[in-house]
Each structure stands twice: as structure tokens, then as C-alpha cells.
């Protein structure tokens, strides 16, 4: 089978296996959603607090670096030993993957929020929690969302590895070439990529509605892509220098 | 035999159940005996292959992105295409990309390297461009005012300014490549992914999982650590943490969230 | 809601040996600063950079904690007050303004009234009133800080600080980042505003001319936050307490004293008959400006007009230089 025909055959594959694709899409989203949700619950409060205190940049960057350095397949393998096969395993592995971008972006966003506005807020007698939630967080939203979007793309496109550890999702098709042939792999890949892009668009939409009007235009086009982690890492390190 | 083929049809073959030590046959948590007898035949070669795959991919990726970055950082020409490509590439699962490339470039190292290089290019290009553009406008202006040529400005000002960003990008590229290279073993028998897939196929042989995964994690952390050292050497000013430490206890800070307080 | 410890309109502020030591620094940033600011006056803290002006000011609203000594507002120690209550009762303006970029001008101004739980309608009225007070219009309430000029932003900052009608205002180089013409206009407007609202103001600047213009009293802080002199502008110019103060106010302190007197305050010569060729000024023109007008025109006299633009008298060069000699001799 040539590659060209595989690409062509991927479309009939979709119509023939629409039930399977839809079923696994639901599983895929369940898995990814759980991982991203858990990562948010862990990483956002940490990023918010450390950013608010302007401390722990060193901790954040190192946590993020270690998290990013862990090969997902190796994490899955180690978890196979510890928690065995299945949903828990792959969710933990994906959470490890999702935390670094959310953590660094949230931290940097809050840490870099207009210091004069924060000082003015403090001088006017706003409580610290109000300063964090009503001044710093709105200003940091574009970056917070950039981190979230990056994580979402990483998680959705890495989730097919779940199939190797007994998980469900579109990976079930992708890792089973003998059953579904290359055309099936390509079809499933389209779906994964589409899910990732849709997640990005959804997050972008949510970001737009949540971002205060005057901050909307300036940030939507920059700082929104996966490898921004490197730029942000840089920003954090810069912050530690005089 | 590749991981792909094994998953597809291989028989579980935990080695020699009849005569092997009970640890091996009962799939004990970590069987030192099995590990030490396979270090030289399996793990060391896999580790070396993994390093080789990574170094080749990052070197080629670095060279290509550097050329592109140097020629385009002054214009915004490549910004949008790269951003777009980036979004698409990262949305494609690596495990699928490797398989899709196989019919084009075969089961060899070429397939792996093409995919790995592609993933490094974007990270490296962007970090280089970011770095080269990070010179503050007033610094550039005063350099021009002092009569430095474009070339001198590049070598003496822009490049040194870019070093931290480039090294930061390099760190991301290296750890990403190490991670993706483990998945490459799904299509070809190379690198530390190979024993991982091997262990899956043996019925989740724990010893092999732990050994291979630990080596992969250790490799990533060591490489990242080496790049931190490189960064300290090339850009010592970044590491200097001259900020005054605030020794306010953690509990006090938490309390302050509810009641504002002088800092 | 009002702070029970701070009476409204204006408050008397007393620094009682207030001292600030930053951790890890041998020298104090502010050393045993003692001064009393009577209610309703503008006290300007002035001095060289790093002299501890900002530190001294921020100790009042405890953005910086006091190491030793105390500061009282109407007899109540700032240390004994609840921090948020204390700060909500003090207007605070900084050089960078610190407007919230994600909120409209109106929302910025309404910040403290909202924190104090005012009713919506009252807040709305107050915002309009304040914007007009600082020379903006009610329509500006819906604009965003990024859409304003530097001077307009500073006005919004001022309105925001005045919102809850605090008896005390802290202003750290509020006009520092603004061009000279706008600055001078804002200074004039602030002085007018001050006459209207009559609050106690602590005003930080490193510009001695601004200090002389704005201050009812000036506190000159030397390196290490040591109080070099605390007095009215006239007294500081006439009797500098030390070489440091003398150098700080500059060799032209005679001229600077002229800036404190207005053409309407001195005895004028009679208006000559016939047409008058020299420059014209008003009763509120400072003698310094009048002198400058005469020198640039090469004239020996200037015509002083009253508020109806009618000639009141003639200011002569001899009269001004006589005053100048008297200043320097004193
Ligand atoms: N947070 C801080 N930690 C340590 N030292 C500080 C801190 N803030 C200020 N200082 C030091 O305290 C001294 C007084 O600083 P302050 O900001 O009060 O000066 P200033 O008179 O306002 O100067 P400027 O006119 O430049 O604003 C300076 O030597 C300064 O370096
Ligand atoms: Mg200051």
C-alpha cells in the first residue's frame, strides 16, 4: 500500500468506522479532560501564590524543567510497575506532562503583572486575596491561558500513548496498525489533531470572554504556542537576575 | 523485531520460566540478576543509541534553525508560518507521525531523525529568534551610534544577548527529543524505548520497565543538568540570584492573603 | 463607612522618631524622623535621591513597616490601626500612577468606595463629581487608561485617591513623569483643589522648585533619612539651617524667594499716563516670572493688571532688585 492511497483511504475509513471513532473520541476527551483538570487544580494555585509572593521562581522553573524532562513513555512504564495498567496510570502520566506549562505561565503572568497597579491597590487598602484575584489575575489571564492551551495540545496529542498501557481513546486505533492499517492510523491522527485544534480554539474563545476588554487585543496573537515554555522559562530565569 | 510487530502478534516470552530465578518467573519488582545479565547486551547499547539519536537530531536541528534564524530574525517573514506549523506539528501524536513516515523513509534511522529534527526545529528557531530580538532598542541604537557595522552588532551584541534564550531552547529541544525518541522504538528497534516495548510484550516485565524507564529519565535529567552547566558558563549573569530573600514564614504569608499586611 | 479613628476633612500627622532599617543594611534609610504636620497643610518631603523620602512616606500607610518610633494620625498610632482600614482612609498617588489597565477610568476611581461598600448610585455620582474636580468629564469614565495621555492618567490617579474623601493624601512624585508645561498646570490645579478640599498632604519630590511651589512646609531629608531642616519655604530660603540645605536649595535661592511673592503683594508705582510699551503681568504672577519678563523684553518696568485686566500699577526693575538684595542680605 502506498502512502498516497493510505491518505486517500483514510476518508472512507472514517465513514466505515464512525462509531468506533466517536466512541474513542469520547474516551480520548475524558482522559485528556481529567488530566488537564487535575493539572490545573495542582499547578494554578501554586503558580498564583508563588507569583503573588514573587518568590519561588527557582522552584517553579526547576519543577517545570524536571516535569518537562520526564519522557512520557518512561513515566507510563514506571507507573505500570506501581499502579498497573489502565486509566489511573495514563492520567498521572499526562498530568505530569500538563503541569509545567500551566505552572510556569501562571507564575510568570502573576509575577509580571503591573507592579505599579499592584502597589496602588495595596496602598488603597485592598486585601491580598483581592489584589491577587481582582488585579493580578485579570492582568495575567492571557499568559495563564497560553499555558492552559499549550498543556491542552500536549495532552491531547500525547494521550494516544494510553493505548499502550491498557487505556482507551483514539490511540487504540493509532497503535493497532495490523487491524486498522495505515489509513486507519491517518484517520485517527486527523481526529486527534482536530481535537487539539478545537481545544485551542475553545480555550481561545473562553479566554476572550474572560479577558477584560482593554487587554484583549494586545496578547491574543503572541505568547500562545506550545514551545512558549522556552520563552517563559527564559523570562523566569531573567527575573532571577538583577 | 519492532515494538509495533511485537504488540501485534508476538508471544509473551518472559525469559526461560522453567529454569530462571523465581524473581524473573514471578515478575518480581526488580530482579537484579536479570538486570545485571542484560546490562551489556541490552541496556548499554540502547542507552548509547538513545544518546546518538538525540545528539544527531539536536545537532542537525540546531544547524538548520540557526541558519534560518540568522537570516530572518530582522524581518517577521517566517513568524506566522512557523507559528502555524508549530500548532499543526504539536497537534500530531508522535507515535502516529513515526508510523506515517515509515512508508516514505523506511524502518531505519532516517525516519526517526526526520521526525525528531522536525520537532526540534520549531523550538530552536523560536528561541533563537526571541533571543536575537531581545536586545533593547536603546542598546541597539547606541551601538549603531558608536559606528558598529551590522555584522559587528550581530557578533558583539545580538549573539551574546541571545545566548540565554538559545540555551533555554536547547534544553527544551533536548528533553523533548529524548522523550520522543523513546516512542521511536515503536517502529524501529532503537533506543531506550525498545526495552520498554519489549517489557510490555513480555507481559509487563517490571524489571525491564524500571531499568529502561529509569535510564531514560536519568538521561533526560543529566542532559538537562549539563545544559544548565553550559548556561552558567556561557551566561553567568543569569544564574546570579541577587534578589533579597524574604524569610517570612509560609503560614504568615498564607494568613496575609486574607488580611493585607505590610511587607 | 468611616474610619472611627480618623476624623474627616484633614488630619494632623506626627512622626515621632520614626526609623526604618531595611534588613541587611547597616545604615538606616530613615533615622529618627520627628516632625508634626498640622491638619490641612501640604508637607513636602524633598531631598537627594536615596534620601529616604519614599520610605518615610510609605511608613505612614505601612506599605513599609516602621522599625522604631511611631507615626500618629490625629493622635492614633498607625501601628494600632487595622491595616486595610488605615489604607482605605488615606489617598495614595504614585509617580507611575498605577492605574488598573483592565478597568475603565470610572471603575478605577470607584475602587475604594466599592471596597467601603458604598451604594451604586452614590459611587456613580461621586465618580462624576471627582472627574470634573480634576478637570476631566463624565464621559471619560468609560475610557480605559491606555487611551489617556500621561497628564490625564495622573488626573485619574488623583481622582482615585480622593474618592473616599480621605483626610490624608500621600503623593510620591505625582508629577515626576510629566512634561514641564503639563506639570506646572497640574501643580496649579492641585493647589486650587487643595484650597477647595483642604486635606493634609504629604508630597514627595526631589525637585526643590516644586517643593517651594507646593509646600506649606518643607522637610529636607539628607542621606540616610536624616532631617536636615523642616520649615516653611520662606524660612528655608532665608535661613538655610546648614551647608547641606544651602547647597540643596541652590545659589539662586534669592531668585527662588522671589518665586514665593506675587506682583500683587508688593508696592507698585503709579501707572504712567499714555501708552505703556513694556510687558504685562497680573497680580498673581510671581516676582520671579515678572523679572524674567522684564529681562527678556529689555524693559525696566512691567504693567500689573488686576483680575478685570485693568492696570493696577507698575512693577519696576529697581523695586524687584531691591527686594532681591534684601533677600540675600537676610
Ligand atoms: N525594599 C528595600 N530594601 C532595601 N533597601 C531599600 C528598599 N527600598 C529602599 N531602600 C534603600 O533605602 C534608601 C532610601 O530609599 P527611598 O526609596 O526611600 O529613597 P527616595 O528618597 O525616595 O529616593 P528617590 O528620590 O530616588 O525616589 C535607599 O538607599 C534605598 O536603596
Ligand atoms: Mg522615591
Amino acid at each position: 500500500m502506498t502512502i498516497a492511497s493510505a491518505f486517500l483511504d483514510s476518508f472512507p475509513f472514517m465513514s466505515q468506522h464512525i462509531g468506533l471513532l466517536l466512541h474513542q473520541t469520547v474516551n480520548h476527551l475524558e482522559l485528556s479532560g481529567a488530566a488537564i483538570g487535575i493539572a490545573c487544580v495542582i499547578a494554578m494555585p501554586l503558580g498564583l501564590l508563588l507569583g503573588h509572593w514573587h518568590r519561588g521562581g527557582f522552584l517553579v522553573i526547576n519543577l517545570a524543567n524536571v516535569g518537562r524532562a520526564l519522557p512520557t513513555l518512561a513515566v507510563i512504564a514506571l507507573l505500570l510497575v506501581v499502579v498497573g495498567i489502565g486509566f489511573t496510570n495514563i492520567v498521572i502520566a499526562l498530568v505530569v506532562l500538563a503541569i509545567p506549562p500551566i505552572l510556569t505561565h501562571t507564575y510568570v503572568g502573576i509575577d509580571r503583572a503591573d507592579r505599579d497597579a499592584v502597589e496602588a491597590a495595596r496602598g488603597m487598602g485592598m486585601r491580598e486575596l483581592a489584589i491577587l484575584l481582582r488585579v493580578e489575575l485579570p492582568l495575567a489571564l492571557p499568559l495563564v491561558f497560553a499555558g492552559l492551551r499549550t498543556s491542552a495540545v500536549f495532552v491531547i496529542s500525547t494521550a494516544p500513548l494510553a493505548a499502550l498501557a491498557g487505556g482507551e481513546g483514539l490511540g487504540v486505533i493509532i497503535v493497532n496498525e495490523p487491524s486498522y492499517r495505515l489509513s486507519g492510523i491517518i484517520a485517527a491522527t486527523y481526529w486527534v489533531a482536530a481535537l487539539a485544534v478545537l481545544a485551542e480554539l475553545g480555550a481561545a474563545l473562553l479566554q476572550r470572554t474572560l479577558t477584560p476588554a482593554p487587554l484583549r487585543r494586545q496578547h491574543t496573537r503572541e505568547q500562545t504556542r506550545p514551545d512558549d515554555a522556552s520563552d517563559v522559562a527564559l523570562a523566569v530565569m531573567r527575573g532571577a537576575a538583577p | 523485531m519492532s515494538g509495533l510487530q511485537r504488540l501485534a502478534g508476538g508471544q509473551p516470552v518472559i525469559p526461560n520460566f522453567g529454569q530462571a530465578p523465581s524473581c524473573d518467573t514471578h515478575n518480581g519488582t526488580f530482579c537484579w540478576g536479570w538486570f545485571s545479565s542484560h546490562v551489556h547486551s541490552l541496556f548499554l547499547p540502547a542507552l548509547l543509541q538513545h544518546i546518538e539519536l538525540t545528539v544527531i537530531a539536536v545537532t542537525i536541528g540546531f544547524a538548520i534553525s540557526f541558519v534560518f534564524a540568522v537570516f530572518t530574525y530582522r524581518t517577521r517573514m517566517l513568524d506566522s508560518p512557523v507559528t502555524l506549523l508549530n500548532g499543526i506539528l504539536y497537534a500530531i501524536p508522535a507515535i502516529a507521525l513515526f508510523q506515517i513516515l515509515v512508508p516514505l523513509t523506511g524502518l531505519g534511522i532516517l525516519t526517526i531523525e526526520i521526525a525528531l529534527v522536525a520537532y526540534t526545529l520549531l523550538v530552536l528557531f523560536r528561541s533563537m529568534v526571541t533571543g536575537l530580538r531581545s536586545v533593547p532598542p536603546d542598546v541597539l541604537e547606541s551601538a549603531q551610534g558608536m559606528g558598529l557595522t551590522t555584522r559587528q552588532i550581530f557578533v558583539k551584541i545580538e549573539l551574546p544577548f541571545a545566548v540565554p534564550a538559545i540555551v533555554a531552547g536547547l534544553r527544551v529541544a533536548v528533553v523533548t527529543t529524548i522523550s520522543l525518541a523513546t516512542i521511536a522504538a515503536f517502529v524501529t528497534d532503537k533506543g531506550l524505548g525498545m526495552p520498554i516495548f519489549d517489557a510490555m510484550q513480555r507481559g509487563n516485565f517490571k524489571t525491564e520497565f524500571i531499568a529502561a524507564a529509569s535510564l531514560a529519565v536519568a538521561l533526560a535529567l543529566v542532559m538537562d543538568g549539563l545544559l544548565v552547566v553550559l548556561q552558567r558558563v556561557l551566561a553567568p549573569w543569569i544564574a546570579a540570584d541577587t534578589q533579597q530573600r524574604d524569610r517570612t514564614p509560609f503560614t504568615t504569608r498564607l494568613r496575609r492573603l486574607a488580611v493585607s499586611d505590610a511587607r | 463607612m468611616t474610619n472611627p479613628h480618623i476624623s474627616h476633612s484633614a488630619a494632623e500627622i506626627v512622626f515621632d522618631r520614626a526609623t526604618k532599617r531595611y534588613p541587611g543594611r547597616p545604615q538606616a534609610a530613615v533615622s529618627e524622623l520627628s516632625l508634626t504636620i498640622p491638619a490641612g497643610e501640604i508637607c513636602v518631603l524633598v531631598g537627594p535621591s536615596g534620601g529616604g523620602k519614599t520610605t518615610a512616606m510609605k511608613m505612614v500607610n505601612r506599605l513599609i513597616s516602621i522599625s522604631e518610633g511611631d507615626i500618629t494620625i490625629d493622635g492614633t498610632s498607625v501601628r494600632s490601626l487595622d491595616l486595610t482600614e488605615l489604607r482605605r482612609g488615606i489617598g495614595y498617588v504614585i509617580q507611575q500612577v498605577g492605574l488598573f489597565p483592565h478597568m475603565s477610568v470610572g471603575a478605577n476611581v470607584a475602587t475604594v468606595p466599592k471596597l467601603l461598600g458604598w451604594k451604586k448610585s452614590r459611587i456613580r455620582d461621586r465618580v462624576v463629581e471627582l472627574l470634573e474636580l480634576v478637570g476631566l468629564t463624565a464621559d471619560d469614565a468609560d475610557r480605559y487608561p491606555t487611551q489617556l495621555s500621561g497628564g490625564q492618567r495622573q488626573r485619574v490617579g488623583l481622582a482615585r485617591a480622593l474618592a473616599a474623601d480621605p483626610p490624608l493624601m500621600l503623593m510620591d512624585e505625582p508629577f515626576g513623569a510629566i512634561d514641564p508645561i503639563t506639570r506646572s498646570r497640574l501643580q496649579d490645579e492641585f493647589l486650587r483643589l487643595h484650597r477647595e478640599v483642604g486635606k493634609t498632604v504629604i508630597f514627595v519630590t526631589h525637585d526643590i522648585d516644586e517643593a517651594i511651589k507646593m509646600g506649606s512646609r518643607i522637610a529636607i531629608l539628607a542621606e540616610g533619612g536624616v532631617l536636615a531642616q523642616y520649615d516653611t519655604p520662606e524660612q528655608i530660603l532665608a535661613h538655610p539651617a546648614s551647608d547641606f540645605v544651602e547647597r540643596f536649595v541652590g545659589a539662586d535661592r534669592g531668585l527662588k524667594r522671589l518665586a514665593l511673592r506675587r506682583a500683587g503683594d508688593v508696592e507698585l508705582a503709579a501707572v504712567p499716563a499714555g501708552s505703556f510699551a513694556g510687558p504685562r503681568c497680573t497680580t498673581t504672577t510671581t516676582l520671579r516670572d515678572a523679572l524674567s519678563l522684564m529681562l527678556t523684553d529689555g524693559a525696566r518696568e512691567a504693567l500689573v493688571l488686576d483680575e478685570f485686566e485693568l492696570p493696577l500699577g507698575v512693577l519696576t526693575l529697581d523695586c524687584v532688585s531691591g527686594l532681591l538684595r534684601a533677600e540675600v542680605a537676610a
Side-chain angles (χ1 to χ4, degrees):
Chain A
M1 183 174 61
T2 68
I3 182 86
S5 69
F7 269 98
L8 286 179
D9 289 346
S10 64
F11 293 99
F13 180 93
M14 284 186 208
S15 54
Q16 284 154 21
H17 295 80
I18 188 75
L20 174 71
L21 282 166
L22 286 176
H23 173 67
Q24 293 302 1
T25 300
V26 171
N27 288 334
H28 204 98
L29 287 178
E30 227 172 72
L31 187 64
S32 311
I36 295 165
I38 294 170
C40 282
V41 169
I42 296 171
M44 278 196 184
L46 193 61
L48 288 174
L49 286 184
L50 294 178
H52 178 71
W53 293 326
H54 305 293
R55 300 291 154 188
F58 187 74
L59 176 81
V60 167
I61 189 90
N62 283 304
L63 261 182
N65 278 332
V66 170
R68 196 162 45 204
L70 297 177
T72 306
L73 186 63
V75 175
I76 291 174
L78 287 176
L79 287 168
L80 279 173
V81 177
V82 184
V83 300
I85 214 158
F87 193 77
T88 320
N89 176 322
I90 191 74
V91 166
I92 297 175
L94 292 178
V95 167
V96 170
L97 181 74
I99 284 178
I102 298 178
L103 183 60
T104 47
H105 281 76
T106 307
Y107 174 81
V108 172
I110 299 287
D111 180 57
R112 291 297 139 91
D114 189 341
R115 298 265 176 123
D116 300 321
V118 172
E119 154 140 15
R122 193 166 280 126
M124 283 188 285
M126 264 197 199
R127 292 179 200 282
E128 294 297 311
L129 193 62
I131 293 175
L132 176 56
L133 297 181
R134 304 232 304 268
V135 179
E136 289 172 324
L137 184 57
L139 294 177
L141 264 191
L143 266 183
V144 172
F145 265 95
L148 191 65
R149 290 158 70 173
T150 303
S151 281
V153 173
F154 277 179
V155 166
I156 290 175
S157 68
T158 309
L161 293 183
L164 299 175
E168 296 282 317
L170 291 162
V172 166
I173 302 169
I174 291 175
V175 303
N176 199 345
E177 203 257 359
S179 309
Y180 301 111
R181 312 272 98 202
L182 195 55
S183 53
I185 295 177
I186 293 173
T189 302
Y190 281 142
W191 281 57
V192 173
L195 285 184
V197 171
L198 284 179
E200 270 235 62
L201 289 180
L205 215 66
L206 187 64
Q207 175 178 354
R208 241 196 92 78
T209 37
L210 288 182
T211 306
L215 303 179
R216 257 174 220 163
R217 293 196 48 208
Q218 57 206 58
H219 286 287
T220 40
R221 298 197 49 205
E222 336 150 353
Q223 299 278 0
T224 49
R225 307 248 68 105
D227 66 347
D228 274 351
S230 61
D231 304 356
V232 170
L234 176 73
V236 175
M237 285 181 284
R238 284 250 165 87
Chain B
M1 195 164 55
S2 75
L4 176 59
Q5 290 157 314
R6 279 199 213 99
L7 275 183
Q11 297 289 310
V13 278
I14 288 212
N16 252 346
F17 277 156
Q19 300 137 30
S22 75
C23 178
D24 298 1
T25 53
H26 292 96
N27 198 1
T29 306
F30 195 79
C31 310
W32 275 105
W34 188 88
F35 174 69
S36 52
S37 66
H38 288 77
V39 168
H40 286 284
S41 60
L42 179 62
F43 293 109
L44 214 51
L47 178 65
L48 292 177
Q49 279 164 3
H50 210 96
I51 295 173
E52 191 186 328
L53 289 176
T54 307
V55 170
I56 292 176
V58 174
T59 309
I60 296 176
F62 191 91
I64 298 176
S65 0
F66 193 73
V67 171
F68 274 99
V70 167
F71 283 103
T72 61
Y73 77 95
R74 283 174 203 273
T75 69
R76 305 237 155 216
M77 209 165 69
L78 281 186
D79 286 11
S80 303
V82 165
T83 305
L84 189 71
L85 208 64
N86 209 9
I88 295 171
L89 190 62
Y90 277 92
I92 297 175
I95 197 164
L97 184 61
F98 284 123
Q99 294 183 73
I100 295 169
L101 283 173
V102 167
L104 291 172
T105 48
L107 274 169
I109 194 164
L110 186 63
T111 299
I112 305 178
E113 291 297 350
I114 287 176
L116 293 182
V117 167
Y119 281 113
T120 64
L121 279 183
L122 297 160
V123 178
L124 289 170
F125 175 80
R126 282 184 57 114
S127 67
M128 285 169 187
V129 167
T130 309
L132 289 171
R133 285 179 190 158
S134 69
V135 184
D138 52 322
V139 174
L140 275 185
E141 201 176 309
S142 58
Q144 280 161 349
M146 283 185 282
L148 270 67
T149 63
T150 312
R151 206 190 142 87
Q152 286 168 329
I153 289 177
F154 178 74
V155 175
K156 294 207 164 116
I157 295 171
E158 289 170 320
L159 211 50
F161 258 90
V163 166
I166 294 178
V167 179
L170 208 53
R171 286 175 69 181
V172 177
V174 166
V175 296
T176 310
T177 307
I178 291 175
S179 177
L180 294 175
T182 57
I183 299 171
F186 192 68
V187 296
T188 176
D189 257 345
K190 293 262 185 311
L192 287 165
M194 181 219 340
I196 292 178
F197 287 113
D198 191 52
M200 286 176 178
Q201 189 251 342
R202 286 177 201 267
N204 291 339
F205 185 28
K206 291 182 183 169
T207 306
E208 206 172 1
F209 273 147
I210 294 178
S214 309
L215 280 174
V217 169
L219 177 63
L221 294 180
V222 167
M223 292 279 232
D224 196 43
L226 285 178
L227 284 166
V228 174
V229 174
L230 179 73
Q231 187 170 36
R232 295 260 154 96
V233 174
L234 289 180
W237 62 92
I238 296 296
D241 184 3
T242 55
Q243 273 186 353
Q244 224 191 317
R245 273 268 146 69
D246 181 353
R247 304 215 177 273
T248 316
F250 184 74
T251 46
T252 314
R253 291 195 191 170
L254 272 181
R255 200 163 39 77
R256 280 182 186 172
L257 273 182
V259 287
S260 55
D261 200 350
R263 291 193 299 166
Chain C
M1 196 173 81
T2 57
N3 189 323
H5 301 285
I6 299 175
S7 71
H8 267 253
S9 84
E12 183 193 60
I13 315 299
V14 178
F15 283 74
D16 179 17
R17 279 165 293 137
T19 300
K20 177 64 191 181
R21 283 176 223 288
Y22 285 109
R25 290 188 168 236
Q27 209 201 2
V30 173
S31 335
E32 307 221 330
L33 181 63
S34 291
L35 47 87
T36 301
I37 306 168
E41 293 209 348
I42 301 179
C43 168
V44 180
L45 302 179
V46 69
S49 187
K53 308 178 291 291
T54 300
T55 304
M57 193 198 78
K58 285 187 181 171
M59 284 194 289
V60 177
N61 64 357
R62 282 171 57 204
L63 278 173
I64 291 175
S65 61
I66 306 169
S67 307
E68 289 146 41
D70 202 358
I71 297 172
T72 59
I73 300 178
D74 279 342
T76 311
S77 163
V78 294
R79 292 178 155 192
S80 69
L81 292 173
D82 172 70
L83 205 65
T84 44
E85 294 271 297
L86 169 75
R87 289 178 184 167
R88 286 171 195 183
I90 298 176
Y92 184 56
V93 186
I94 53 180
Q95 174 177 344
Q96 309 81 355
V97 198
L99 293 183
F100 304 137
H102 58 299
M103 295 184 191
S104 68
V105 165
N108 266 285
V109 175
T111 308
V112 176
K114 254 189 218 151
L115 288 174
L116 295 175
W118 288 15
K119 279 208 193 66
K120 275 221 170 92
S121 57
R122 183 174 169 209
I123 294 179
R124 208 178 315 118
D125 296 345
R126 180 70 179 154
V127 167
V128 172
E129 179 189 348
L130 282 163
L131 288 179
E132 280 165 4
L133 189 68
V134 299
L136 297 167
T137 64
D139 294 338
D140 290 322
D142 296 326
R143 296 170 75 188
Y144 288 105
T146 45
Q147 302 168 322
L148 303 178
S149 71
Q152 288 171 325
R153 263 179 241 169
Q154 202 52 261
R155 286 163 201 263
V156 176
L158 199 59
R160 185 172 70 172
L162 285 167
D165 199 19
L168 169 63
M169 302 267 292
L170 304 180
M171 306 176 78
D172 193 355
E173 304 197 28
F175 310 135
I178 293 174
D179 69 275
I181 294 171
T182 315
R183 183 190 311 155
S184 155
R185 205 166 60 221
L186 283 173
Q187 287 168 345
D188 292 335
E189 284 174 24
F190 182 72
L191 286 172
R192 170 187 60 78
L193 203 70
H194 181 253
R195 279 192 294 275
E196 243 171 77
V197 298
K199 300 186 178 308
T200 311
V201 178
I202 300 179
F203 190 109
V204 168
T205 179
H206 56 247
D207 175 359
I208 184 69
D209 290 306
E210 185 171 58
I212 292 166
K213 179 171 179 184
M214 305 298 291
S216 342
R217 280 157 198 269
I218 297 177
I220 299 185
L221 294 183
E223 198 64 36
V226 179
L227 186 62
Q229 189 167 6
Y230 179 50
D231 218 323
T232 59
E234 291 82 0
Q235 286 299 312
I236 283 181
L237 290 171
H239 309 288
S242 62
D243 285 354
F244 170 78
V245 176
E246 193 165 345
R247 258 181 292 121
F248 189 76
V249 297
D252 60 342
R253 63 191 169 92
L255 279 175
K256 285 185 171 124
R257 282 190 77 188
L258 287 182
L260 289 169
R261 308 184 68 170
R262 298 181 185 276
D265 303 342
V266 296
E267 241 171 83
L268 302 172
V271 184
S275 71
F276 184 86
R280 279 139 210 274
C281 58
T282 69
T283 51
T284 57
T285 309
T286 65
L287 291 185
R288 186 180 179 168
D289 290 345
L291 179 64
S292 151
L293 280 173
M294 286 188 261
L295 292 177
T296 35
D297 275 25
R300 298 196 59 84
E301 303 170 324
L303 187 65
V304 181
L305 306 172
D306 65 12
E307 65 254 52
F308 307 111
E309 306 233 334
L310 296 172
L312 199 67
V314 167
L315 185 67
T316 63
L317 194 58
D318 291 341
C319 163
V320 176
S321 60
L323 282 168
L324 192 54
R325 265 196 306 281
E327 304 285 358
V328 177

